[in-house]
């Protein structure tokens, strides 16, 4: 795809019901009330209890069903919103091959900054101005690729067929999809890592991220260990180097808010009640 300029749009004649800017937390579902969470919310209970772990696992399974993820993909709840999920993916997975970074908004630019200036990796940075897309024909299948699917602050997203017919090599595709998941159909089999947060699109609460990993990404975890130290809150491997698979089975790296978990489950249930993902 060459650099593409967004088509000019006419100013809408009808304003939204809610005037609040939605680049961060988005509006709650219709009819939302905290009272809806009272019967099932485990306030004051440990997330490590049998009941707490069951609610976390329920959130993961409902995520899997609503998004129609491939059966072999893994889903985990991680700290620090989408930012934490993306940083976790980059710090754990990048390094064994070069990196192609594509960005056209502020968040994608921050991933490029961290890859180049913090991890200090050899990277080809493909940037485009707001309203445009970089040239994804430059993607090298033998290099890792890092990109957003939808520019949260620019409103420009990738076309559905971006990866159609694109060969797969040793490189992983790491996608920040926090403004795309639940809003667009994503080509899951073309993506190795997908991250998002509950407050985008669904109107969930902040500070919790979701990390979706393909078998290729888990294989990278098992076969590669970065030379840099990884803080505990980002660690996806045991001291032996073996991937921590409990993260995808209802366990969490640190303490989640069970109130926020219940709020997320409520949003997923609402999605199902109006017809599911479609």
């Amino acid at each position: 795809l060459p650099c593409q300029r967004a088509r000019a749009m006419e100013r809408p004649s009808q304003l939204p019901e809610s005037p609040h800017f939605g680049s961060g937390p988005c509006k709650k579902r219709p009819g939302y009330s905290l009272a809806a969470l009272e019967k099932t919310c485990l306030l004051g209970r440990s997330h490590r209890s049998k009941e707490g772990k069951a609610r976390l696992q329920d959130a993961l399974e409902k995520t899997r069903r609503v998004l129609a993820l491939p059966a072999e993909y893994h889903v985990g709840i991680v700290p620090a919103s989408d930012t934490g999920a993306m940083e976790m993916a980059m710090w754990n997975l990048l390094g064994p091959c070069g990196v192609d970074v594509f960005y056209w908004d502020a968040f994608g630019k921050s991933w490029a900054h961290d890859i180049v200036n913090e991890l200090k990796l050899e990277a080809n940075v493909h940037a485009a101005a707001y309203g445009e897309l970089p040239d994804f024909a430059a993607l090298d299948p033998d290099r890792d690729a890092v990109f957003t699917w939808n520019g949260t602050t620019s409103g420009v997203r990738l076309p559905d067929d971006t990866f159609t017919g694109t060969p797969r090599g040793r490189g992983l595709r790491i996608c920040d999809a926090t403004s795309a998941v639940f809003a667009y159909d994503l080509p899951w089999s073309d993506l190795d890592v997908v991250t998002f947060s509950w407050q985008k699109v669904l109107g969930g609460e902040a500070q919790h991220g979701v990390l979706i990993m393909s078998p290729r990404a888990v294989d990278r975890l098992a076969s590669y260990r970065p030379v840099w130290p990884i803080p505990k809150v980002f660690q996806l491997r045991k001291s032996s180097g073996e991937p921590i698979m409990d993260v995808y089975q209802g366990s969490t790296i640190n303490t989640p808010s069970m109130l926020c978990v219940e709020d997320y489950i409520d949003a997923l249930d609402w999605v199902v009640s109006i017809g599911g993902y479609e």
Side-chain angles (χ1 to χ4, degrees):
L1 294 171
C3 247
Q4 297 181 1
R5 181 171 297 279
R7 291 177 293 180
M9 296 179 64
E10 295 182 3
R11 185 182 181 88
S13 59
Q14 184 177 357
L15 297 177
E17 292 181 8
S18 173
H20 304 302
F21 180 60
S23 183
C26 296
K27 189 175 180 179
K28 291 294 188 183
R29 65 168 175 82
Y32 176 83
S33 170
L34 278 172
L37 313 181
E38 290 180 355
K39 290 184 178 179
T40 53
C41 189
L42 295 174
L43 291 181
R45 294 296 306 278
S46 171
H47 62 293
R48 297 185 181 91
S49 67
K50 180 180 178 181
E51 294 82 0
K53 192 171 182 178
R55 291 310 282 165
L56 288 163
Q57 185 64 33
D58 189 38
L60 296 178
E61 288 304 317
K62 286 180 176 178
T63 299
R64 177 182 297 280
R65 292 200 299 270
V66 170
L67 294 179
L69 296 178
E72 66 274 16
Y73 277 45
H74 304 278
V75 190
I77 296 170
V78 299
S81 195
D82 177 63
T83 303
M86 273 298 291
E87 294 286 357
M88 185 178 293
M90 293 191 298
W91 281 66
N92 278 278
L93 298 173
L94 297 182
C97 53
V99 187
D100 288 336
V101 192
F102 299 84
Y103 78 81
W104 56 97
D105 86 324
F107 291 103
K109 185 177 182 180
S110 70
W111 309 142
H113 174 276
D114 286 358
I115 289 167
V116 173
N117 297 289
E118 300 300 331
L119 296 178
K120 302 185 184 304
L121 293 173
E122 185 273 310
N124 295 327
V125 178
H126 308 273
Y130 274 55
E132 299 179 352
L133 285 173
D135 185 3
F136 269 75
L139 186 151
D140 184 338
D142 288 322
R143 296 167 63 89
D144 293 331
V146 177
F147 52 93
T148 58
W149 192 269
N150 182 53
T152 300
T153 59
S154 71
V156 180
R157 75 174 183 93
L158 290 179
D160 293 338
D161 61 354
T162 297
F163 298 107
T164 301
T166 303
R168 298 303 299 265
R170 66 188 293 248
L172 298 178
R173 295 171 183 169
I174 300 174
C175 176
D176 170 4
T178 198
S179 295
V181 169
F182 301 108
Y184 303 116
D185 289 320
L186 294 179
W188 298 108
S189 61
D190 289 328
L191 305 174
D192 295 301
V193 179
V194 176
T195 68
F196 68 93
S197 58
W198 299 342
Q199 70 265 31
K200 299 293 198 304
V201 182
L202 285 184
E205 294 303 306
Q207 291 303 319
H208 298 75
V210 174
L211 179 67
I212 299 174
M213 303 269 282
S214 74
R216 284 165 50 95
V218 175
D219 287 345
R220 171 75 65 84
L221 276 179
S223 62
Y224 163 71
R225 194 159 190 167
V227 295
W228 48 79
I230 298 180
K232 177 177 175 56
V233 76
F234 283 173
Q235 290 175 9
L236 291 173
R237 298 176 186 83
K238 301 176 183 178
S239 58
S240 63
E242 182 183 355
I244 302 174
M245 300 308 294
D246 289 350
V247 172
Y248 316 107
Q249 298 166 4
S251 294
T252 54
I253 293 172
N254 68 345
T255 304
S257 163
M258 296 309 293
L259 179 60
C260 292
V261 170
E262 206 61 41
D263 184 86
Y264 176 55
I265 292 174
D266 175 81
L268 291 172
D269 288 342
W270 171 73
V271 170
V272 173
S273 74
I274 61 171
Y277 188 63
E278 294 296 331

mmCIF file with all atom_site columns, all heavy atoms in Angstrom, residues 155-177:
data_model
loop_
_atom_site.group_PDB
_atom_site.id
_atom_site.type_symbol
_atom_site.label_atom_id
_atom_site.label_alt_id
_atom_site.label_comp_id
_atom_site.label_asym_id
_atom_site.label_entity_id
_atom_site.label_seq_id
_atom_site.pdbx_PDB_ins_code
_atom_site.Cartn_x
_atom_site.Cartn_y
_atom_site.Cartn_z
_atom_site.occupancy
_atom_site.B_iso_or_equiv
_atom_site.pdbx_formal_charge
_atom_site.auth_seq_id
_atom_site.auth_comp_id
_atom_site.auth_asym_id
_atom_site.auth_atom_id
_atom_site.pdbx_PDB_model_num
ATOM 1   N N   . GLY A 1 155 ? -7.450  8.411   13.846 1.00 0.00 ? 155 GLY A N   1
ATOM 2   C CA  . GLY A 1 155 ? -8.675  7.928   13.217 1.00 0.00 ? 155 GLY A CA  1
ATOM 3   C C   . GLY A 1 155 ? -8.463  7.218   11.901 1.00 0.00 ? 155 GLY A C   1
ATOM 4   O O   . GLY A 1 155 ? -9.411  7.007   11.145 1.00 0.00 ? 155 GLY A O   1
ATOM 5   N N   . VAL A 1 156 ? -7.220  6.834   11.584 1.00 0.00 ? 156 VAL A N   1
ATOM 6   C CA  . VAL A 1 156 ? -6.928  6.128   10.337 1.00 0.00 ? 156 VAL A CA  1
ATOM 7   C C   . VAL A 1 156 ? -6.553  4.694   10.665 1.00 0.00 ? 156 VAL A C   1
ATOM 8   O O   . VAL A 1 156 ? -5.694  4.443   11.500 1.00 0.00 ? 156 VAL A O   1
ATOM 9   C CB  . VAL A 1 156 ? -5.773  6.810   9.564  1.00 0.00 ? 156 VAL A CB  1
ATOM 10  C CG1 . VAL A 1 156 ? -5.483  6.060   8.270  1.00 0.00 ? 156 VAL A CG1 1
ATOM 11  C CG2 . VAL A 1 156 ? -6.122  8.261   9.271  1.00 0.00 ? 156 VAL A CG2 1
ATOM 12  N N   . ARG A 1 157 ? -7.209  3.746   10.016 1.00 0.00 ? 157 ARG A N   1
ATOM 13  C CA  . ARG A 1 157 ? -6.951  2.336   10.321 1.00 0.00 ? 157 ARG A CA  1
ATOM 14  C C   . ARG A 1 157 ? -6.442  1.599   9.097  1.00 0.00 ? 157 ARG A C   1
ATOM 15  O O   . ARG A 1 157 ? -6.572  2.069   7.958  1.00 0.00 ? 157 ARG A O   1
ATOM 16  C CB  . ARG A 1 157 ? -8.224  1.656   10.819 1.00 0.00 ? 157 ARG A CB  1
ATOM 17  C CG  . ARG A 1 157 ? -9.268  1.349   9.751  1.00 0.00 ? 157 ARG A CG  1
ATOM 18  C CD  . ARG A 1 157 ? -10.409 0.550   10.344 1.00 0.00 ? 157 ARG A CD  1
ATOM 19  N NE  . ARG A 1 157 ? -11.414 0.158   9.364  1.00 0.00 ? 157 ARG A NE  1
ATOM 20  C CZ  . ARG A 1 157 ? -11.418 -0.988  8.698  1.00 0.00 ? 157 ARG A CZ  1
ATOM 21  N NH1 . ARG A 1 157 ? -10.427 -1.849  8.893  1.00 0.00 ? 157 ARG A NH1 1
ATOM 22  N NH2 . ARG A 1 157 ? -12.376 -1.283  7.859  1.00 0.00 ? 157 ARG A NH2 1
ATOM 23  N N   . LEU A 1 158 ? -5.885  0.416   9.348  1.00 0.00 ? 158 LEU A N   1
ATOM 24  C CA  . LEU A 1 158 ? -5.404  -0.411  8.250  1.00 0.00 ? 158 LEU A CA  1
ATOM 25  C C   . LEU A 1 158 ? -6.568  -0.993  7.450  1.00 0.00 ? 158 LEU A C   1
ATOM 26  O O   . LEU A 1 158 ? -7.606  -1.364  8.020  1.00 0.00 ? 158 LEU A O   1
ATOM 27  C CB  . LEU A 1 158 ? -4.551  -1.560  8.794  1.00 0.00 ? 158 LEU A CB  1
ATOM 28  C CG  . LEU A 1 158 ? -3.191  -1.198  9.377  1.00 0.00 ? 158 LEU A CG  1
ATOM 29  C CD1 . LEU A 1 158 ? -2.495  -2.451  9.891  1.00 0.00 ? 158 LEU A CD1 1
ATOM 30  C CD2 . LEU A 1 158 ? -2.331  -0.493  8.346  1.00 0.00 ? 158 LEU A CD2 1
ATOM 31  N N   . PRO A 1 159 ? -6.429  -1.117  6.143  1.00 0.00 ? 159 PRO A N   1
ATOM 32  C CA  . PRO A 1 159 ? -7.438  -1.808  5.342  1.00 0.00 ? 159 PRO A CA  1
ATOM 33  C C   . PRO A 1 159 ? -7.522  -3.277  5.742  1.00 0.00 ? 159 PRO A C   1
ATOM 34  O O   . PRO A 1 159 ? -6.545  -3.865  6.223  1.00 0.00 ? 159 PRO A O   1
ATOM 35  C CB  . PRO A 1 159 ? -6.915  -1.662  3.910  1.00 0.00 ? 159 PRO A CB  1
ATOM 36  C CG  . PRO A 1 159 ? -5.972  -0.502  3.951  1.00 0.00 ? 159 PRO A CG  1
ATOM 37  C CD  . PRO A 1 159 ? -5.362  -0.526  5.321  1.00 0.00 ? 159 PRO A CD  1
ATOM 38  N N   . ASP A 1 160 ? -8.676  -3.879  5.523  1.00 0.00 ? 160 ASP A N   1
ATOM 39  C CA  . ASP A 1 160 ? -8.884  -5.278  5.911  1.00 0.00 ? 160 ASP A CA  1
ATOM 40  C C   . ASP A 1 160 ? -7.897  -6.227  5.243  1.00 0.00 ? 160 ASP A C   1
ATOM 41  O O   . ASP A 1 160 ? -7.540  -7.264  5.805  1.00 0.00 ? 160 ASP A O   1
ATOM 42  C CB  . ASP A 1 160 ? -10.318 -5.709  5.570  1.00 0.00 ? 160 ASP A CB  1
ATOM 43  C CG  . ASP A 1 160 ? -11.351 -4.978  6.406  1.00 0.00 ? 160 ASP A CG  1
ATOM 44  O OD1 . ASP A 1 160 ? -10.999 -4.474  7.489  1.00 0.00 ? 160 ASP A OD1 1
ATOM 45  O OD2 . ASP A 1 160 ? -12.515 -4.892  5.966  1.00 0.00 ? 160 ASP A OD2 1
ATOM 46  N N   . ASP A 1 161 ? -7.480  -5.898  4.020  1.00 0.00 ? 161 ASP A N   1
ATOM 47  C CA  . ASP A 1 161 ? -6.640  -6.819  3.245  1.00 0.00 ? 161 ASP A CA  1
ATOM 48  C C   . ASP A 1 161 ? -5.152  -6.490  3.341  1.00 0.00 ? 161 ASP A C   1
ATOM 49  O O   . ASP A 1 161 ? -4.365  -6.909  2.476  1.00 0.00 ? 161 ASP A O   1
ATOM 50  C CB  . ASP A 1 161 ? -7.079  -6.826  1.782  1.00 0.00 ? 161 ASP A CB  1
ATOM 51  C CG  . ASP A 1 161 ? -6.941  -5.452  1.118  1.00 0.00 ? 161 ASP A CG  1
ATOM 52  O OD1 . ASP A 1 161 ? -6.616  -4.473  1.836  1.00 0.00 ? 161 ASP A OD1 1
ATOM 53  O OD2 . ASP A 1 161 ? -7.154  -5.359  -0.110 1.00 0.00 ? 161 ASP A OD2 1
ATOM 54  N N   . THR A 1 162 ? -4.744  -5.776  4.389  1.00 0.00 ? 162 THR A N   1
ATOM 55  C CA  . THR A 1 162 ? -3.349  -5.349  4.503  1.00 0.00 ? 162 THR A CA  1
ATOM 56  C C   . THR A 1 162 ? -2.375  -6.515  4.374  1.00 0.00 ? 162 THR A C   1
ATOM 57  O O   . THR A 1 162 ? -1.326  -6.399  3.733  1.00 0.00 ? 162 THR A O   1
ATOM 58  C CB  . THR A 1 162 ? -3.117  -4.631  5.840  1.00 0.00 ? 162 THR A CB  1
ATOM 59  O OG1 . THR A 1 162 ? -3.908  -3.444  5.875  1.00 0.00 ? 162 THR A OG1 1
ATOM 60  C CG2 . THR A 1 162 ? -1.650  -4.271  6.030  1.00 0.00 ? 162 THR A CG2 1
ATOM 61  N N   . PHE A 1 163 ? -2.700  -7.668  4.979  1.00 0.00 ? 163 PHE A N   1
ATOM 62  C CA  . PHE A 1 163 ? -1.769  -8.796  4.988  1.00 0.00 ? 163 PHE A CA  1
ATOM 63  C C   . PHE A 1 163 ? -2.179  -9.917  4.038  1.00 0.00 ? 163 PHE A C   1
ATOM 64  O O   . PHE A 1 163 ? -1.547  -10.978 4.032  1.00 0.00 ? 163 PHE A O   1
ATOM 65  C CB  . PHE A 1 163 ? -1.627  -9.340  6.405  1.00 0.00 ? 163 PHE A CB  1
ATOM 66  C CG  . PHE A 1 163 ? -1.053  -8.341  7.366  1.00 0.00 ? 163 PHE A CG  1
ATOM 67  C CD1 . PHE A 1 163 ? -1.846  -7.744  8.325  1.00 0.00 ? 163 PHE A CD1 1
ATOM 68  C CD2 . PHE A 1 163 ? 0.276   -7.972  7.291  1.00 0.00 ? 163 PHE A CD2 1
ATOM 69  C CE1 . PHE A 1 163 ? -1.328  -6.813  9.206  1.00 0.00 ? 163 PHE A CE1 1
ATOM 70  C CE2 . PHE A 1 163 ? 0.818   -7.038  8.163  1.00 0.00 ? 163 PHE A CE2 1
ATOM 71  C CZ  . PHE A 1 163 ? 0.007   -6.459  9.126  1.00 0.00 ? 163 PHE A CZ  1
ATOM 72  N N   . THR A 1 164 ? -3.201  -9.692  3.237  1.00 0.00 ? 164 THR A N   1
ATOM 73  C CA  . THR A 1 164 ? -3.632  -10.715 2.289  1.00 0.00 ? 164 THR A CA  1
ATOM 74  C C   . THR A 1 164 ? -2.522  -11.019 1.289  1.00 0.00 ? 164 THR A C   1
ATOM 75  O O   . THR A 1 164 ? -1.999  -10.119 0.623  1.00 0.00 ? 164 THR A O   1
ATOM 76  C CB  . THR A 1 164 ? -4.897  -10.256 1.532  1.00 0.00 ? 164 THR A CB  1
ATOM 77  O OG1 . THR A 1 164 ? -5.941  -10.005 2.472  1.00 0.00 ? 164 THR A OG1 1
ATOM 78  C CG2 . THR A 1 164 ? -5.346  -11.318 0.544  1.00 0.00 ? 164 THR A CG2 1
ATOM 79  N N   . GLY A 1 165 ? -2.141  -12.281 1.221  1.00 0.00 ? 165 GLY A N   1
ATOM 80  C CA  . GLY A 1 165 ? -1.103  -12.698 0.287  1.00 0.00 ? 165 GLY A CA  1
ATOM 81  C C   . GLY A 1 165 ? 0.305   -12.356 0.721  1.00 0.00 ? 165 GLY A C   1
ATOM 82  O O   . GLY A 1 165 ? 1.264   -12.599 -0.015 1.00 0.00 ? 165 GLY A O   1
ATOM 83  N N   . THR A 1 166 ? 0.455   -11.806 1.925  1.00 0.00 ? 166 THR A N   1
ATOM 84  C CA  . THR A 1 166 ? 1.785   -11.470 2.426  1.00 0.00 ? 166 THR A CA  1
ATOM 85  C C   . THR A 1 166 ? 2.448   -12.714 3.003  1.00 0.00 ? 166 THR A C   1
ATOM 86  O O   . THR A 1 166 ? 1.870   -13.362 3.884  1.00 0.00 ? 166 THR A O   1
ATOM 87  C CB  . THR A 1 166 ? 1.703   -10.384 3.516  1.00 0.00 ? 166 THR A CB  1
ATOM 88  O OG1 . THR A 1 166 ? 1.047   -9.240  2.978  1.00 0.00 ? 166 THR A OG1 1
ATOM 89  C CG2 . THR A 1 166 ? 3.093   -9.990  3.988  1.00 0.00 ? 166 THR A CG2 1
ATOM 90  N N   . PRO A 1 167 ? 3.634   -13.084 2.556  1.00 0.00 ? 167 PRO A N   1
ATOM 91  C CA  . PRO A 1 167 ? 4.274   -14.308 3.063  1.00 0.00 ? 167 PRO A CA  1
ATOM 92  C C   . PRO A 1 167 ? 4.655   -14.166 4.529  1.00 0.00 ? 167 PRO A C   1
ATOM 93  O O   . PRO A 1 167 ? 4.929   -13.070 5.016  1.00 0.00 ? 167 PRO A O   1
ATOM 94  C CB  . PRO A 1 167 ? 5.513   -14.453 2.183  1.00 0.00 ? 167 PRO A CB  1
ATOM 95  C CG  . PRO A 1 167 ? 5.800   -13.059 1.701  1.00 0.00 ? 167 PRO A CG  1
ATOM 96  C CD  . PRO A 1 167 ? 4.466   -12.402 1.551  1.00 0.00 ? 167 PRO A CD  1
ATOM 97  N N   . ARG A 1 168 ? 4.676   -15.297 5.240  1.00 0.00 ? 168 ARG A N   1
ATOM 98  C CA  . ARG A 1 168 ? 5.137   -15.318 6.619  1.00 0.00 ? 168 ARG A CA  1
ATOM 99  C C   . ARG A 1 168 ? 6.564   -15.819 6.668  1.00 0.00 ? 168 ARG A C   1
ATOM 100 O O   . ARG A 1 168 ? 6.912   -16.823 6.043  1.00 0.00 ? 168 ARG A O   1
ATOM 101 C CB  . ARG A 1 168 ? 4.246   -16.236 7.471  1.00 0.00 ? 168 ARG A CB  1
ATOM 102 C CG  . ARG A 1 168 ? 2.780   -15.830 7.570  1.00 0.00 ? 168 ARG A CG  1
ATOM 103 C CD  . ARG A 1 168 ? 2.602   -14.429 8.115  1.00 0.00 ? 168 ARG A CD  1
ATOM 104 N NE  . ARG A 1 168 ? 3.120   -14.255 9.444  1.00 0.00 ? 168 ARG A NE  1
ATOM 105 C CZ  . ARG A 1 168 ? 2.397   -14.364 10.562 1.00 0.00 ? 168 ARG A CZ  1
ATOM 106 N NH1 . ARG A 1 168 ? 1.121   -14.663 10.502 1.00 0.00 ? 168 ARG A NH1 1
ATOM 107 N NH2 . ARG A 1 168 ? 2.941   -14.153 11.743 1.00 0.00 ? 168 ARG A NH2 1
ATOM 108 N N   . GLY A 1 169 ? 7.388   -15.125 7.425  1.00 0.00 ? 169 GLY A N   1
ATOM 109 C CA  . GLY A 1 169 ? 8.757   -15.545 7.646  1.00 0.00 ? 169 GLY A CA  1
ATOM 110 C C   . GLY A 1 169 ? 8.980   -15.783 9.129  1.00 0.00 ? 169 GLY A C   1
ATOM 111 O O   . GLY A 1 169 ? 8.067   -16.164 9.855  1.00 0.00 ? 169 GLY A O   1
ATOM 112 N N   . ARG A 1 170 ? 10.181  -15.528 9.621  1.00 0.00 ? 170 ARG A N   1
ATOM 113 C CA  . ARG A 1 170 ? 10.474  -15.759 11.031 1.00 0.00 ? 170 ARG A CA  1
ATOM 114 C C   . ARG A 1 170 ? 10.001  -14.607 11.912 1.00 0.00 ? 170 ARG A C   1
ATOM 115 O O   . ARG A 1 170 ? 9.957   -14.732 13.130 1.00 0.00 ? 170 ARG A O   1
ATOM 116 C CB  . ARG A 1 170 ? 11.970  -16.002 11.221 1.00 0.00 ? 170 ARG A CB  1
ATOM 117 C CG  . ARG A 1 170 ? 12.860  -14.816 10.910 1.00 0.00 ? 170 ARG A CG  1
ATOM 118 C CD  . ARG A 1 170 ? 14.334  -15.216 10.946 1.00 0.00 ? 170 ARG A CD  1
ATOM 119 N NE  . ARG A 1 170 ? 14.761  -15.573 12.287 1.00 0.00 ? 170 ARG A NE  1
ATOM 120 C CZ  . ARG A 1 170 ? 15.625  -14.862 12.999 1.00 0.00 ? 170 ARG A CZ  1
ATOM 121 N NH1 . ARG A 1 170 ? 16.140  -13.738 12.486 1.00 0.00 ? 170 ARG A NH1 1
ATOM 122 N NH2 . ARG A 1 170 ? 15.996  -15.235 14.190 1.00 0.00 ? 170 ARG A NH2 1
ATOM 123 N N   . GLY A 1 171 ? 9.654   -13.490 11.311 1.00 0.00 ? 171 GLY A N   1
ATOM 124 C CA  . GLY A 1 171 ? 9.233   -12.328 12.080 1.00 0.00 ? 171 GLY A CA  1
ATOM 125 C C   . GLY A 1 171 ? 7.839   -12.472 12.673 1.00 0.00 ? 171 GLY A C   1
ATOM 126 O O   . GLY A 1 171 ? 6.965   -13.125 12.100 1.00 0.00 ? 171 GLY A O   1
ATOM 127 N N   . LEU A 1 172 ? 7.633   -11.856 13.842 1.00 0.00 ? 172 LEU A N   1
ATOM 128 C CA  . LEU A 1 172 ? 6.321   -11.803 14.483 1.00 0.00 ? 172 LEU A CA  1
ATOM 129 C C   . LEU A 1 172 ? 5.633   -10.491 14.124 1.00 0.00 ? 172 LEU A C   1
ATOM 130 O O   . LEU A 1 172 ? 6.286   -9.468  13.902 1.00 0.00 ? 172 LEU A O   1
ATOM 131 C CB  . LEU A 1 172 ? 6.453   -11.894 16.007 1.00 0.00 ? 172 LEU A CB  1
ATOM 132 C CG  . LEU A 1 172 ? 7.054   -13.165 16.592 1.00 0.00 ? 172 LEU A CG  1
ATOM 133 C CD1 . LEU A 1 172 ? 7.144   -13.045 18.116 1.00 0.00 ? 172 LEU A CD1 1
ATOM 134 C CD2 . LEU A 1 172 ? 6.246   -14.395 16.196 1.00 0.00 ? 172 LEU A CD2 1
ATOM 135 N N   . ARG A 1 173 ? 4.306   -10.509 14.114 1.00 0.00 ? 173 ARG A N   1
ATOM 136 C CA  . ARG A 1 173 ? 3.522   -9.295  13.909 1.00 0.00 ? 173 ARG A CA  1
ATOM 137 C C   . ARG A 1 173 ? 2.861   -8.924  15.239 1.00 0.00 ? 173 ARG A C   1
ATOM 138 O O   . ARG A 1 173 ? 2.005   -9.660  15.738 1.00 0.00 ? 173 ARG A O   1
ATOM 139 C CB  . ARG A 1 173 ? 2.478   -9.512  12.820 1.00 0.00 ? 173 ARG A CB  1
ATOM 140 C CG  . ARG A 1 173 ? 3.086   -9.763  11.446 1.00 0.00 ? 173 ARG A CG  1
ATOM 141 C CD  . ARG A 1 173 ? 2.034   -10.183 10.437 1.00 0.00 ? 173 ARG A CD  1
ATOM 142 N NE  . ARG A 1 173 ? 2.639   -10.494 9.131  1.00 0.00 ? 173 ARG A NE  1
ATOM 143 C CZ  . ARG A 1 173 ? 1.986   -11.089 8.146  1.00 0.00 ? 173 ARG A CZ  1
ATOM 144 N NH1 . ARG A 1 173 ? 0.707   -11.430 8.301  1.00 0.00 ? 173 ARG A NH1 1
ATOM 145 N NH2 . ARG A 1 173 ? 2.600   -11.345 6.997  1.00 0.00 ? 173 ARG A NH2 1
ATOM 146 N N   . ILE A 1 174 ? 3.267   -7.810  15.785 1.00 0.00 ? 174 ILE A N   1
ATOM 147 C CA  . ILE A 1 174 ? 2.804   -7.366  17.094 1.00 0.00 ? 174 ILE A CA  1
ATOM 148 C C   . ILE A 1 174 ? 1.918   -6.144  16.893 1.00 0.00 ? 174 ILE A C   1
ATOM 149 O O   . ILE A 1 174 ? 2.383   -5.088  16.439 1.00 0.00 ? 174 ILE A O   1
ATOM 150 C CB  . ILE A 1 174 ? 4.001   -7.033  18.010 1.00 0.00 ? 174 ILE A CB  1
ATOM 151 C CG1 . ILE A 1 174 ? 4.874   -8.284  18.180 1.00 0.00 ? 174 ILE A CG1 1
ATOM 152 C CG2 . ILE A 1 174 ? 3.519   -6.507  19.358 1.00 0.00 ? 174 ILE A CG2 1
ATOM 153 C CD1 . ILE A 1 174 ? 6.158   -8.035  18.949 1.00 0.00 ? 174 ILE A CD1 1
ATOM 154 N N   . CYS A 1 175 ? 0.653   -6.278  17.235 1.00 0.00 ? 175 CYS A N   1
ATOM 155 C CA  . CYS A 1 175 ? -0.357  -5.272  16.883 1.00 0.00 ? 175 CYS A CA  1
ATOM 156 C C   . CYS A 1 175 ? -1.019  -4.671  18.116 1.00 0.00 ? 175 CYS A C   1
ATOM 157 O O   . CYS A 1 175 ? -1.624  -5.383  18.922 1.00 0.00 ? 175 CYS A O   1
ATOM 158 C CB  . CYS A 1 175 ? -1.417  -5.915  15.992 1.00 0.00 ? 175 CYS A CB  1
ATOM 159 S SG  . CYS A 1 175 ? -2.787  -4.815  15.561 1.00 0.00 ? 175 CYS A SG  1
ATOM 160 N N   . ASP A 1 176 ? -0.916  -3.363  18.248 1.00 0.00 ? 176 ASP A N   1
ATOM 161 C CA  . ASP A 1 176 ? -1.679  -2.618  19.243 1.00 0.00 ? 176 ASP A CA  1
ATOM 162 C C   . ASP A 1 176 ? -3.052  -2.366  18.636 1.00 0.00 ? 176 ASP A C   1
ATOM 163 O O   . ASP A 1 176 ? -3.217  -1.528  17.753 1.00 0.00 ? 176 ASP A O   1
ATOM 164 C CB  . ASP A 1 176 ? -0.956  -1.300  19.547 1.00 0.00 ? 176 ASP A CB  1
ATOM 165 C CG  . ASP A 1 176 ? -1.792  -0.345  20.386 1.00 0.00 ? 176 ASP A CG  1
ATOM 166 O OD1 . ASP A 1 176 ? -2.904  -0.710  20.809 1.00 0.00 ? 176 ASP A OD1 1
ATOM 167 O OD2 . ASP A 1 176 ? -1.325  0.791   20.614 1.00 0.00 ? 176 ASP A OD2 1
ATOM 168 N N   . ALA A 1 177 ? -4.048  -3.094  19.125 1.00 0.00 ? 177 ALA A N   1
ATOM 169 C CA  . ALA A 1 177 ? -5.394  -3.017  18.550 1.00 0.00 ? 177 ALA A CA  1
ATOM 170 C C   . ALA A 1 177 ? -6.406  -2.455  19.533 1.00 0.00 ? 177 ALA A C   1
ATOM 171 O O   . ALA A 1 177 ? -7.591  -2.744  19.445 1.00 0.00 ? 177 ALA A O   1
ATOM 172 C CB  . ALA A 1 177 ? -5.833  -4.406  18.078 1.00 0.00 ? 177 ALA A CB  1
#
